[in-house]
Amino acid sequence: MTMTRLPLNRRQFLATSAAAGIGVIAAPHIARADAATLRITGWGGKWGQTMSSELIPAFEKEFKCKVETDSAFPYLPKLQASPRSAPVYDVLHTNSNEQWAALEMGIVEAKIDAKQVPNIADVYPYAVSDKMVGVCIFTSAIGLGMRTDKGYGKVSSWKDLWDRAYDGVRGGYVIPVNSLGQAFLMMSGALFGKGMTDLDAAYAAMEKLKPVKLVDFTGTMEKMILSGEVGLAVIHDSGILRYDGQNQPTTFVAPSEGVLSLEQVLTLTPGTKVRELANAYVNYMLRPSVQKTLAESVWYSPANSKVKLDDKYNEKLLTTPEKVAKLIQPDWKWYNARKDEIDSRVNRIFRA
């Protein structure tokens, strides 16, 4: 579903070559003698099930094409290893941190052409902000997940995670490999220092956060919260909300200082041979009916402001300008330029 493992650093990317193993699914339109093929990336899990069973077949039928979806992460090494004039993907779907890394490598385009993707006119401003490569189609709110059956006090602030009451049961991420952990590091600079780029304040905050149980993936964090191994942890809202109706003693807390944005982003590759079809796919993914189907399937907040969700989703997801205003978008371009330095310092902190 939402893969949050970090992009490889520049040295690793340059040393990496990978074949492009891709699995078939569905897709395009446009009058041709032979059906065009659109090559994209995508997640597994519930996202993949919904795409392969409903949305991709419908896109294929409407646009009279074929879609091939690669869900074998990581994607950037494969794209980088493929020829610029014949990229392995036509549309890249990843989180924002990787899109900025891909842009720096010159393997994706900076922006989507709004004239070719008319549904962009209806997205919330964050989806095309200066913090965004391409266009965001969905976001999740990164905040705090907690157990409600352990007698903990009221949690309302990010700073509550540093409360000594959570020693031994607080959860976080291995920062060098997880974008939620990286976003949280930047947020710590804002909480205890001068802003999201105050690394000295962020490092000091990480020292004070110990002891903390660190994991690589959000799926692992979900399991730890569900099992009670962790009582309060950094997590995105869909990692808690997807268990709605299962009587789990968990809740998602949107901290008063704001929630961090975990974005699902689409970009085009410069060398795509099916540009018209690629733009049609981006426009399709921003279509209100498609947005509604996926939002209610995986509990992601839709980027299209015209989407009308059923009440139980509308109540908890970011579906109004007022709710969207709570989103904090990290500056991934800034972060990626300092990633090696940050990784080295954070590793020393948590090894001690």
Side-chain angles (χ1 to χ4, degrees):
M1 194 112 107
T2 303
M3 300 298 294
T4 53
R5 184 172 289 276
L6 234 11
L8 303 175
N9 64 35
R10 285 183 290 279
R11 292 193 300 274
Q12 291 171 317
F13 269 121
L14 292 173
T16 302
S17 63
I22 299 178
V24 175
I25 290 188
H29 141 120
I30 292 143
R32 292 185 178 89
D34 298 316
T37 297
L38 182 74
R39 296 172 175 84
I40 65 174
T41 61
W43 305 140
K46 187 68 172 178
W47 173 283
Q49 294 170 16
T50 303
M51 291 293 291
S52 63
S53 65
E54 298 182 53
L55 299 180
I56 291 291
F59 180 79
E60 277 187 322
K61 182 178 180 180
E62 179 177 346
F63 292 92
K64 297 179 175 56
C65 66
K66 176 183 177 183
V67 175
E68 293 182 352
T69 302
D70 184 2
S71 57
F73 188 84
Y75 307 128
L76 265 60
K78 302 176 194 179
L79 182 55
Q80 190 189 31
S82 67
R84 295 293 191 273
S85 60
V88 67
Y89 310 127
D90 301 297
V91 179
L92 179 69
H93 171 196
T94 66
N95 301 132
S96 285
N97 59 321
E98 289 193 311
Q99 293 286 5
W100 279 103
L103 181 64
E104 183 181 351
M105 295 174 214
I107 55 178
V108 300
E109 296 180 350
K111 294 295 180 182
I112 300 293
D113 185 348
K115 293 181 181 178
Q116 305 302 318
V117 183
N119 284 329
I120 281 184
D122 295 325
V123 302
Y124 290 108
Y126 76 83
V128 288
S129 77
D130 61 358
K131 299 293 196 302
M132 192 70 56
V133 177
V135 62
C136 175
I137 55 173
F138 292 94
T139 193
S140 297
I142 305 173
L144 298 172
M146 68 176 295
R147 297 280 300 200
T148 58
D149 60 343
K150 302 295 184 180
Y152 301 136
K154 179 178 174 57
V155 171
S156 61
S157 166
W158 282 105
K159 291 184 178 181
D160 290 329
L161 190 62
W162 279 263
D163 192 313
R164 301 278 49 115
Y166 300 105
D167 285 2
V169 293
R170 73 170 58 81
Y173 297 91
V174 180
I175 290 172
V177 298
N178 190 289
S179 62
L180 274 76
Q182 295 162 25
F184 174 66
L185 176 76
M186 287 185 272
M187 188 68 199
S188 299
L191 292 171
F192 298 103
K194 299 177 182 178
M196 299 275 283
T197 61
D198 190 339
L199 288 174
D200 288 338
Y203 296 145
M206 293 303 101
E207 288 278 8
K208 295 176 181 177
L209 192 66
K210 298 186 293 186
V212 57
K213 296 183 178 182
L214 301 176
V215 301
D216 284 353
F217 296 104
T218 50
T220 305
M221 188 66 79
E222 287 179 31
K223 293 175 183 177
M224 292 177 71
I225 293 175
L226 292 172
S227 70
E229 185 176 352
V230 161
L232 186 66
V234 178
I235 198 167
H236 58 98
D237 57 355
S238 58
I240 298 294
L241 299 178
R242 72 184 60 173
Y243 298 100
D244 179 75
Q246 297 184 27
N247 296 317
Q248 295 291 343
T250 60
T251 191
F252 177 77
V253 177
S256 58
E257 300 91 347
V259 291
L260 293 155
S261 184
L262 176 62
E263 297 136 347
Q264 306 298 325
V265 183
L266 298 183
T267 52
L268 270 58
T269 54
T272 177
K273 299 295 193 298
V274 288
R275 180 169 296 273
E276 186 178 355
L277 188 57
N279 280 318
Y281 176 75
V282 176
N283 198 55
Y284 177 79
M285 292 301 291
L286 288 171
R287 186 181 294 179
S289 60
V290 173
Q291 293 255 295
K292 177 179 171 66
T293 296
L294 268 172
E296 295 182 354
S297 174
V298 297
W299 288 89
Y300 285 178
S301 297
N304 191 320
S305 63
K306 304 297 185 183
V307 178
K308 303 299 181 185
L309 302 181
D310 293 348
D311 287 347
K312 76 171 185 176
Y313 302 98
N314 188 58
E315 178 185 349
K316 296 181 179 180
L317 295 178
L318 303 170
T319 54
T320 67
E322 293 75 21
K323 292 180 180 180
V324 166
K326 299 177 182 178
L327 282 170
I328 298 170
Q329 291 183 290
D331 186 342
W332 290 112
K333 182 179 181 180
W334 175 88
Y335 188 94
N336 287 347
R338 296 159 179 80
K339 184 179 180 312
D340 291 349
E341 165 202 337
I342 294 170
D343 289 352
S344 177
R345 180 66 178 272
V346 168
N347 280 333
R348 291 200 303 272
I349 290 172
F350 288 115
R351 276 202 303 263

